[in-house]
């Protein structure tokens, strides 16, 4: 905006500062999907800096898949202007191999077993089961993280 | 579970099949030189139990021979359920099978899960630990350098035991997981689980709070704005209606009509009022006349009645006065009589008392006399008693007399003895010469012996004095004198001179005592309580006095008193009656006086009343009344005619008031509405400028986002808290389940090697920190290599024992466990192993052939297919 002098009408000139694209996308997963690749597939390849994106993961994934997914999200997220990754709708499947990955025996296995019971318990509320599931996934992630 | 045989094919150096057989319960020993492949055997065993057949990781790759091929391992085991064969093949055509007595019972994944069940996995127990070779943690053979490093590690007790402890408690991985969990939690929360100041949780909470407050604020403002707009619309409509010109004109017209109507009605009302006043005046005159007529009639009658009443009352008053006088006289007389009768009664009462006293005196006279007599006799008896008592104190009593008699008898005895011993004179006088010899002036008696103990002077008449001397033969020893002196001294004490006198005195004393007793008995009978008592009794009896001699006898006095009392009572009664009568008469008299006075007053009032009426008579008054009544009737007729034709004043007033109020209300409403509208305009203009609705919608959106963020953070915190809790619980459970039991199992094993030794364990690391021997605490680090490995072996055995107690019989496999141990100590260790072998299967792999030769245990056979046999 320019002012020529006292009383003169201001001159206004438009300048483009930025344009952002809002994207809401869904990431449907199955127990055997390669999660990292699936995530990359739903993300746009170009202009990531000007994109605000929200990815909502749905379906089912094992602990290993979830750990992979989380890693991929942490790797890819910073490319975007805004990256919101929502796994609330993503269910978790557990098998003994996953638990074996945490530990075959001992106290860590004991903790993992208890959390798994918590996710399957019929006496607990849905929120409490979700908390147990989250805790188990987290434990798995920590153990994996330490193994690398 | 117990291992019976192990077969290998295509495993490292065993490119052709090799088989270990003859594994028994208890201790088994495989003693082979280096490079035989003991470690390969060990790794193969681990792979069978812990590596899935589908696996192809570096551990499995390391099992392949240099020449390539698929490693195969077959293990025969025996459990409580029977004998099984586990066979596994990796890499190419991988497979896993479980056979029982040659029959396939599981394969592939089924077989893997069967193995996992067999190892007792699932309950979190340390199933694998007994399979781990000491020191080495991986299955790799590795380079020479790595093997060397592994050997170093093998010597390190800490690393070796750490493996077991970690298996139990999760160890470093557990610590790491907990630390990560806490680290993440600390981003959000304080150690107490509250949102941390400055953290994202607290920030999200504060944001939600702030947005909620703003939302509430804006919502209120918006509601107010909407309300204001509605209000303004309504008020504007009202104002328009009020200011409509047609409505205003109609209101004015109505007001004017109502005012005119009211004025007409008021004028008519004044006319009616005037007629009404005239009627009132006429009615007043009539009433007046009627009153005067009535008063005249009443007053005349009243005067006649009053005159009659006065006459009657005067007559009654005279009679009452007479009656009163007579009553007064009667009462005075009765009073006099009462006084006299009272005096008479008092006299009679005095007389009676005097008579009673006299009678009492007469009754007591006899007793007085008797008492006086008794007092006199008692006095005499006392005097006698006292004089006798005085006498009874004189002279010797019986005891003293006995002493005196004894003394007298002593004297007589003394004299008789002296006289018997002394010289004697016997004078035989001649006839006629009697008494011619004198001794001490007395004639000497003749013809009888006379003792002369002290000699004697004999005066012989006419001849001279003949002195006879007793000589010095001790004829007198003085005892007579002594007895005499004693007797006389005793007699003198009792005031006597001779013993006879003393005897008489004693007799007199007895008699006096007797008299005293008699006098005392007499006194006691006369006055048992003493003479004073008798005197007091005497004083209590009244005496007859001279002046009361002439009182009448008691009976007469009593009768007189009764009569006097009777008379007095009668007088009292008649006095009371007279008094009553008098008071009746008095009240009657005063009542009649009052009546008389009232009648007189009534008369004077009636007379006065008549006087006031003047001299008008009844007939004239009656005429006047009739004329006045006619005038009243005429006035009333005129008045009612006017009333009938009058319009309704109240209705006219109401109508006017209504018209006025309508006008006023309209004006007031206009005045009120205008400023209110101005205020509303102002407020709406201001609020609309603030873009309230838009801001409200925006805040709504922000709030939704903030709440979602908060919920995610809260979920995250809950997840972390849950994980932290579960990890901590698991660690402490593992400690309770395995650590304490192992410590208990370890103690006897340690004592086998070092009596009185004990291990102390770190509280947090759960690792042995020191060995306490003979009270000396030695840190593990400074122990010798041999001691370290021995401790490590014992710890391992303790684990095995603990597992066995829990029902999991796991074989213990020791691969070159005792490198640094000397031979003596190895023997001790083998004692420990034998001791374990009772309930455990132990397989020892060693290269120390010589040292192990004589240590016992079952030797394991190794056979290869290519060579027909090979013995261990």
């Amino acid at each position: 905006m320019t002012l020529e002098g006292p009383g003169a009408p201001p001159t206004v000139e438009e300048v483009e500062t930025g344009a952002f694209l809002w994207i809401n996308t869904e990431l449907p997963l199955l127990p055997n999907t390669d999660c990292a690749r699936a995530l990359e597939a739903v993300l746009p390849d170009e202009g990531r800096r000007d994109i605000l994106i929200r990815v909502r993961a749905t379906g089912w994934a094992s602990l290993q898949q979830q750990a992979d997914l989380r890693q991929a999200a942490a790797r890819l997220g910073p490319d975007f202007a805004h990256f919101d990754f929502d796994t609330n709708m993503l269910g978790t499947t557990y098998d003994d191999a996953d638990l074996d990955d945490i530990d075959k025996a001992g106290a860590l296995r004991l903790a993992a077993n208890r959390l798994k019971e918590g996710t399957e318990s019929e006496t607990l509320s849905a929120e409490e089961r979700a908390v147990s599931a989250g805790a188990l996934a987290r434990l798995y992630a920590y153990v994996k993280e330490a193994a690398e | 579970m117990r291992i019976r045989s192990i077969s290998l094919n295509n495993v490292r150096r065993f490119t052709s099949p090799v088989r270990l057989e003859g594994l028994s319960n208890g201790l088994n020993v495989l003693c082979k030189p280096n490079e035989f492949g003991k470690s390969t055997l060990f790794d193969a065993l681990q792979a069978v139990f812990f590596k899935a057949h589908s696996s192809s990781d570096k551990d499995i790759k390391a099992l392949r021979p240099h020449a390539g091929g698929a490693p195969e391992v077959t293990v025969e085991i025996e459990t409580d359920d029977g004998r099984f064969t586990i066979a596994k093949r990796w890499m190419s055509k991988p497979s896993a099978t479980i056979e029982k007595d040659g029959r396939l019972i599981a394969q592939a994944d089924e077989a893997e899960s069967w193995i996992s069940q067999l190892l007792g996995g699932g309950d979190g127990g340390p199933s694998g630990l007994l399979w781990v070779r000491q020191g080495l943690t991986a299955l790799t053979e590795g380079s020479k350098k790595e093997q060397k490093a592994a050997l170093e590690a093998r010597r390190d007790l800490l690393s070796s035991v750490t493996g077991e402890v970690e298996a139990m408690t999760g160890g470093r991985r557990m610590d790491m997981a907990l630390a990560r969990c806490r680290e993440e939690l600390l981003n959000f929360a304080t150690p107490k689980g509250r949102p941390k100041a400055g953290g994202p949780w607290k920030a999200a909470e504060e944001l939600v709070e702030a947005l909620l407050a703003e939302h509430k604020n804006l919502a209120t403002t918006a509601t107010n704005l909407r309300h204001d707009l509605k209000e303004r619309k309504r008020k504007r409509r009202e104002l328009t209606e009020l200011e409509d010109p047609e409505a205003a004109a109609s209101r004015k017209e109505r007001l004017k009509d109502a005012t005119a109507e009211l004025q007409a009605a008021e004028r008519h009302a004044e006319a009616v009022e005037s007629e009404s006043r005239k009627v009132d005046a006429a009615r007043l005159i009539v009433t007046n006349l009627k009153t005067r007529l009535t008063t005249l009639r009443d007053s005349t009658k009243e005067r006649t009645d009053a005159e009659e009443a006065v006459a009657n009352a005067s007559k009654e008053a005279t009679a009452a006065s007479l009656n009163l006088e007579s009553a007064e006289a009667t009462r005075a007389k009765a009073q006099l009589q009462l006084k006299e009768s009272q005096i008479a009664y008092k006299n009679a009462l005095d007389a009676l008392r005097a008579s009673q006293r006299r009678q009492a005196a007469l009754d007591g006279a006899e007793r007085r006399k008797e008492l006086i007599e008794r007092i006199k006799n008692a006095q005499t008896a006392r005097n006698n008693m006292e004089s006798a008592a005085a006498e009874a104190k004189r002279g010797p009593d019986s005891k003293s007399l006995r002493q005196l008699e004894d003394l007298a008898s002593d004297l007589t005895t003394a004299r008789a003895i002296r006289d018997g011993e002394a010289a004697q004179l016997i004078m035989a006088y001649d006839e006629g010469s009697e008494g011619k010899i004198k001794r001490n002036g007395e004639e000497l008696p003749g013809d009888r012996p006379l003792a002369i103990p002290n000699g004697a002077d004999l005066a012989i008449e006419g001849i001279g004095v003949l002195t006879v001397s007793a000589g010095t033969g001790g004829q007198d020893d003085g005892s007579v004198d002594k007895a005499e002196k004693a007797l006389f001294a005793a007699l003198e004490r009792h005031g006597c001179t001779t013993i006879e006198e003393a005897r008489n005195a004693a007799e007199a004393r007895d008699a006096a005592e007797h008299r005293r007793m008699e006098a005392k008995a007499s006194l006691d009978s006369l006055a048992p309580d003493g003479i004073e008592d008798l005197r007091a009794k005497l004083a209590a009896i009244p005496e007859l006095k001279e002046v009361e001699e002439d009182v009448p006898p008691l009976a007469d006095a009593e009768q007189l008193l009764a009569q006097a009392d009777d008379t007095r009572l009668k007088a009292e009664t008649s006095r009371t009656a007279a008094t009553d009568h008098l008071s009746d008469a008095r009240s009657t008299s005063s009542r009649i006086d009052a009546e008389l006075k009232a009648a007189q007053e009534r008369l004077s009032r009636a007379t006065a009343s008549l006087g006031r009426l003047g001299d008008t008579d009844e007939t004239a008054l009656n005429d006047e009344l009739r004329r006045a009544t006619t005038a009243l009737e005429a006035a009333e007729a005129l008045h009612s005619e006017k009333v009938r034709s009058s319009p309704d004043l109240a209705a006219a007033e109401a109508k006017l008031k209504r018209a006025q109020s309508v006008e006023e209300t309209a004006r007031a409403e206009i005045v009120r509405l205008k400023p209110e509208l101005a205020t509303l305009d102002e407020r709406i203009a201001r609020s609309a400028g603030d873009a309230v609705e838009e801001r409200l919608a925006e805040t709504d959106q922000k709030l939704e986002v903030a709440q979602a963020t908060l919920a995610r953070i809260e979920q995250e915190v809950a997840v972390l808290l849950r994980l932290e809790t579960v990890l901590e619980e698991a660690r402490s459970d593992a400690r309770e389940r395995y650590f304490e039991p192992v410590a208990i199992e370890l103690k006897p094993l340690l004592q086998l090697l070092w009596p009185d030794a004990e291990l102390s364990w770190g509280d947090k690391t759960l690792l042995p920190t020191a060995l306490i021997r003979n009270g000396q605490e030695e840190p593990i680090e400074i122990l010798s290599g041999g001691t370290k490995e021995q401790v490590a072996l014992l710890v391992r055995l303790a684990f095995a024992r603990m597992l066995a107690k829990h029902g999991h019989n796991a074989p213990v496999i020791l691969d070159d466990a005792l490198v640094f141990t000397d031979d003596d100590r190895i023997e001790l260790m083998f004692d420990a192993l034998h001791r374990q072998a009772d309930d455990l299967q132990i397989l020892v792999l060693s290269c120390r052939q010589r040292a192990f030769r004589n240590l016992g245990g079952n030797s394991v056979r190794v056979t290869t297919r290519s060579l027909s046999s090979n013995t261990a």
Side-chain angles (χ1 to χ4, degrees):
Chain A
M1 185 179 292
T2 319
L3 290 174
E4 302 288 344
T11 323
V12 179
E13 191 186 341
E14 280 187 14
V15 178
E16 190 172 320
T17 52
F20 288 97
L21 177 62
W22 280 94
I23 299 179
N24 239 337
T25 184
E26 198 173 293
L27 175 62
L29 294 173
L30 288 170
N32 292 320
T33 318
D34 181 338
C35 296
R37 198 169 295 165
L39 177 60
E40 270 189 86
V42 299
L43 297 179
D45 292 332
E46 291 177 0
R48 289 185 172 178
R49 287 248 56 90
D50 298 330
I51 291 175
L52 311 162
I53 193 165
R54 176 180 296 154
V55 181
R56 176 182 293 232
T58 58
W60 295 90
S62 69
L63 286 173
Q64 173 66 54
Q65 283 175 302
Q66 291 198 19
D68 292 348
L69 196 58
R70 215 160 272 129
Q71 272 183 2
R75 179 164 50 81
L76 298 169
D79 293 351
F80 292 86
H82 176 80
F83 185 80
D84 184 14
F85 189 57
D86 181 4
T87 55
N88 279 343
M89 299 300 289
L90 182 63
T92 310
T93 56
Y94 306 97
D95 51 41
D96 287 343
D98 290 335
L99 297 187
D100 280 347
D101 278 347
I102 291 175
D103 205 344
K104 287 201 173 62
L108 273 176
R109 178 59 178 260
L110 202 62
N113 283 349
R114 283 187 187 165
L115 289 173
K116 183 160 178 272
E117 275 165 32
T119 65
E120 290 159 359
S121 166
E122 284 172 12
T123 53
L124 293 178
S125 69
E127 286 91 45
E128 285 169 313
R129 284 206 297 272
V131 166
S132 288
L136 183 52
R138 192 62 56 89
L139 178 59
Y140 186 85
Y142 288 161
V143 171
K144 281 276 155 185
E145 180 184 286
E148 276 163 14
Chain B
M1 173 181 77
R2 305 195 195 280
I3 301 173
R4 289 303 173 215
S5 75
I6 307 165
S7 305
L8 309 182
N9 191 19
N10 276 331
V11 183
R12 290 190 197 142
R13 61 187 301 277
F14 300 111
T15 45
S16 54
V18 64
R19 181 177 162 85
L20 254 76
E21 290 176 311
L23 288 155
S24 65
N25 292 351
L27 182 63
N28 297 280
V29 181
L30 178 63
C31 230
K32 290 285 170 190
N34 286 333
E35 302 298 319
F36 165 78
K38 295 189 297 295
S39 298
T40 306
L41 195 66
F42 189 91
D43 292 346
L45 263 180
Q46 266 221 326
V48 165
F49 287 107
F50 293 113
K51 285 290 168 186
H53 67 283
S54 54
S55 171
S56 57
D57 61 12
K58 58 181 163 71
D59 290 342
I60 294 302
K61 282 179 185 145
L63 285 180
R64 274 201 303 187
H66 294 303
E72 278 176 63
V73 181
T74 307
V75 178
E76 271 185 296
I77 59 159
E78 194 175 308
T79 71
D80 294 344
D81 295 334
R83 208 172 168 112
F84 298 90
T85 308
I86 305 170
K88 271 197 191 176
R89 180 187 163 100
W90 290 274
M91 308 302 282
S92 75
K93 292 186 211 155
S95 71
T97 56
I98 312 293
E99 285 176 10
K100 185 180 182 189
D101 307 327
R103 191 165 45 83
L104 183 70
I105 57 166
Q107 60 180 341
D109 286 349
E110 277 289 294
E112 297 291 356
S113 97
W114 189 90
I115 292 171
S116 147
Q117 279 298 311
L118 175 72
L119 296 178
D123 71 341
S127 60
L129 68 103
L130 300 174
W131 300 81
V132 180
R133 166 169 37 178
Q134 291 208 13
L136 281 181
T137 49
L139 283 174
T140 177
E141 269 189 327
S143 65
K144 281 280 173 197
K145 199 175 163 196
E146 281 169 343
Q147 278 187 335
K148 208 173 166 192
L151 196 65
E152 286 300 318
R154 192 187 299 179
R155 290 168 193 156
D156 183 352
L157 168 91
L158 286 181
S159 71
S160 140
V161 176
T162 304
E164 274 82 66
V165 173
E166 284 201 350
M168 282 195 305
T169 60
R172 283 197 308 276
R173 298 166 75 218
M174 168 65 92
D175 287 345
M176 184 279 305
L178 256 178
R180 284 283 288 126
C181 179
R182 284 181 181 143
E183 178 194 329
E184 288 198 20
L185 199 52
L186 270 182
N187 283 337
F188 298 105
T190 62
K192 283 184 177 169
R194 304 294 316 145
K196 191 174 91 174
W201 189 9
K202 186 80 185 169
E205 258 189 10
E206 281 168 357
L207 182 60
V208 167
E209 241 168 70
L211 284 173
L212 273 176
E214 196 183 339
H215 181 267
K216 196 177 157 199
N217 239 340
L218 287 172
T220 314
T221 314
T223 314
N224 286 346
L225 179 59
R226 281 196 286 274
H227 178 260
D228 285 351
L229 283 167
K230 220 162 97 189
E231 195 67 9
R232 182 171 71 174
K233 196 170 156 196
R234 191 173 63 77
K235 285 187 171 155
R236 273 189 181 151
R237 201 175 54 231
E238 273 178 37
L239 186 62
T240 318
E241 278 167 12
L242 284 171
E243 284 179 339
D244 179 36
E246 252 179 61
S250 132
R251 282 202 300 274
K252 284 236 164 61
E253 186 66 24
R254 270 211 301 255
L255 183 61
K256 203 172 133 196
D257 289 358
T259 313
E261 245 176 76
L262 180 65
Q263 279 169 357
E266 275 173 352
R267 272 197 302 279
H268 193 95
E270 272 166 26
V272 171
E273 180 63 31
S274 136
E275 285 308 314
S276 164
R277 271 199 297 277
K278 280 179 194 162
V279 170
D280 285 349
R283 191 174 288 137
L284 193 66
I285 291 166
V286 169
T287 315
N288 231 341
L289 283 172
K290 273 183 183 163
T291 312
R292 277 178 72 193
L293 191 57
T294 316
T295 312
L296 179 66
R297 279 178 193 151
D298 288 356
S299 298
T300 312
K301 188 172 180 292
E302 173 67 13
R303 190 176 58 187
T304 319
D305 287 357
E307 275 168 359
E308 199 179 325
V310 169
N312 284 344
S314 301
K315 219 188 297 165
E316 273 178 33
T318 317
S321 171
L322 280 175
N323 194 16
L324 179 62
E325 267 169 35
S326 102
E328 267 172 352
T330 316
R331 188 186 168 272
K333 207 170 128 204
Q335 182 71 36
L336 198 64
Q337 272 170 1
L338 176 62
K339 205 171 176 188
E340 280 166 4
S341 71
Q342 277 170 338
I343 291 166
Y345 175 75
K346 190 169 176 290
N347 287 344
L349 198 63
D350 288 348
L352 176 67
R353 291 209 182 106
S355 290
Q356 283 167 338
R357 269 199 305 279
R358 181 165 175 273
Q359 189 62 43
L362 284 175
D363 290 348
E366 241 354 77
R367 199 160 147 62
R368 269 181 81 82
K369 215 164 111 192
E370 190 212 353
L371 273 175
I372 290 166
E373 187 65 31
R374 264 173 72 181
I375 291 167
K376 206 174 106 201
N377 290 347
Q379 198 72 50
T380 314
R382 192 163 70 182
N383 290 346
N384 288 345
M385 185 179 81
E386 280 164 2
S387 66
E391 275 178 48
K393 285 201 179 103
R394 278 200 298 271
D397 54 14
S398 57
K399 192 176 158 204
S400 310
L401 184 61
R402 247 189 334 271
Q403 286 171 349
L404 288 176
E405 290 286 7
D406 287 350
L407 289 172
S409 134
D410 287 350
L411 179 61
T412 313
T413 310
R415 272 188 184 140
I417 290 169
R418 186 195 67 183
D419 289 354
E421 285 173 353
Q424 286 181 336
L425 282 179
I426 301 168
M427 184 64 220
Y429 282 112
D430 293 338
E431 204 77 34
S433 302
E434 287 95 345
K436 282 206 179 151
I437 300 174
K438 289 192 172 119
R439 187 180 177 219
N440 299 340
E442 287 175 17
E443 282 175 14
L444 187 77
D447 300 329
R448 65 178 174 105
L450 176 68
I452 44 166
N454 300 317
D457 290 332
L458 301 172
I460 306 166
E461 208 181 293
I463 299 171
V465 176
L466 173 67
T467 299
V468 181
S469 178
T472 56
Q475 288 175 341
D476 187 0
D477 58 0
S479 58
V480 174
D481 280 352
K482 220 160 99 188
E484 265 175 358
K485 268 180 197 152
L487 179 60
F488 286 133
L491 284 172
E492 215 171 0
R493 273 206 299 279
H494 293 287
C496 302
T497 44
T498 64
I499 188 75
E500 284 78 22
E501 207 177 322
R503 280 181 196 133
N504 288 341
E507 213 167 295
R509 186 183 170 128
D510 272 0
E513 179 61 24
H514 224 74
R515 279 202 310 280
R516 191 186 69 82
M517 296 289 276
E518 277 170 4
K520 186 170 186 300
S522 163
L523 177 61
D524 284 352
S525 75
L526 282 169
D529 296 325
I531 293 171
E532 285 315 308
D533 177 57
L534 289 181
R535 284 204 177 111
K537 278 178 181 159
L538 177 63
I541 299 168
E543 254 176 302
L544 190 61
K545 284 187 189 138
E546 294 287 322
V547 282
E548 285 179 355
E549 287 291 300
D550 58 347
V551 296
L554 187 58
D556 291 358
E558 277 169 355
Q559 200 183 348
L560 280 173
L561 179 66
Q563 279 167 6
D565 193 30
D566 204 29
T567 315
R568 189 183 58 132
L569 280 172
K570 273 181 190 151
E572 240 170 37
T573 315
S574 50
R575 203 271 315 256
T576 313
T579 308
D580 288 352
H581 191 232
L582 176 59
S583 109
D584 283 354
R586 266 200 194 119
S587 63
T588 311
S589 167
S590 43
R591 180 174 52 78
I592 289 168
D593 280 352
E595 277 172 10
L596 177 58
K597 207 172 167 197
Q600 281 165 344
E601 274 170 13
R602 190 174 157 200
L603 179 59
S604 73
R605 270 200 311 276
T607 315
S609 167
L610 271 175
R612 271 200 303 280
L613 283 173
D615 49 359
T616 27
D617 66 352
E618 209 177 324
T619 326
L621 274 176
N622 267 333
D623 284 350
E624 216 173 320
L625 179 59
R626 213 172 300 123
R627 278 197 300 280
T629 309
T630 315
L632 175 60
E633 277 163 4
E636 275 176 346
L638 196 59
H639 178 248
S640 58
E641 178 54 36
K642 274 278 179 196
V643 167
R644 234 189 334 273
S645 67
S646 76
D648 188 349
L649 181 59
E653 271 173 356
K655 199 171 167 189
L656 177 61
K657 209 177 258 172
R658 196 156 47 78
Q660 280 170 342
S661 118
V662 166
E663 179 64 20
E664 270 163 29
T665 311
R667 211 175 295 140
E669 279 290 285
I670 291 166
V671 169
R672 182 176 63 81
L673 283 172
K674 278 185 173 160
E676 278 181 1
L677 273 172
T679 314
L680 282 173
D681 282 344
E682 162 65 19
R683 212 150 67 193
I684 288 163
R686 208 173 47 226
S687 296
D690 287 350
V692 176
E693 295 287 353
E694 289 83 347
R695 277 170 58 202
L696 182 59
E698 198 185 326
T699 311
D700 261 343
Q701 249 173 14
K702 279 191 201 161
L703 183 59
E704 207 175 305
V705 173
Q707 275 170 338
T709 310
L710 179 60
R712 262 213 307 279
I713 291 175
E714 279 172 346
Q715 165 89 3
E716 173 74 5
V717 169
V719 162
L720 290 170
L721 281 176
R722 169 99 178 109
L723 181 57
E724 186 187 21
T725 316
V726 167
L727 287 177
E728 277 171 352
E729 278 174 6
R731 185 155 74 171
S732 99
D733 279 5
R735 181 192 161 93
E736 267 174 38
R737 267 166 80 176
Y738 302 111
F739 178 68
E740 304 289 351
V742 166
I744 290 169
E745 293 297 336
L746 184 59
K747 201 171 173 170
L749 293 173
L750 278 174
Q751 279 172 359
L752 204 65
L753 253 69
W754 306 286
D756 304 325
E758 233 178 297
L759 266 189
S760 72
W761 301 74
D763 252 1
K764 284 196 178 135
T765 59
L766 301 184
L767 290 171
T769 54
L771 185 69
I772 305 167
R773 277 189 285 189
N774 304 324
Q776 284 293 107
E777 193 170 296
E778 300 166 69
I780 289 290
E781 294 77 31
I782 69 158
L783 292 175
S784 73
T787 310
K788 279 183 188 175
E789 75 181 9
Q790 286 149 24
V791 170
L793 178 65
L794 292 181
V795 169
R796 208 160 297 237
L797 286 177
F799 274 115
R801 277 177 74 97
M802 188 269 290
L803 274 187
K805 278 202 177 161
H806 283 241
H808 297 301
N809 263 314
V812 183
I813 297 161
L814 304 168
D815 178 20
D816 268 343
L818 301 164
V819 197
F820 294 98
T821 306
D822 60 44
D823 291 354
D824 290 350
R825 205 39 75 73
I826 282 182
E827 268 187 57
L828 276 177
M829 291 305 291
F830 260 75
D831 284 347
L833 292 180
H834 277 292
R835 181 184 165 135
Q836 294 303 302
D838 287 347
D839 47 3
L840 289 177
Q841 190 184 31
I842 303 174
L843 176 55
V844 179
L845 309 177
S846 177
C847 58
R848 298 178 66 177
Q849 288 154 291
R850 226 178 5 198
F852 280 66
R853 196 168 296 142
N854 297 318
L855 291 177
N858 175 43
S859 286
V860 181
R861 291 191 308 277
V862 180
T863 56
T864 52
R865 200 81 44 92
S866 53
L867 307 173
S868 60
S869 77
N870 191 347
T871 40

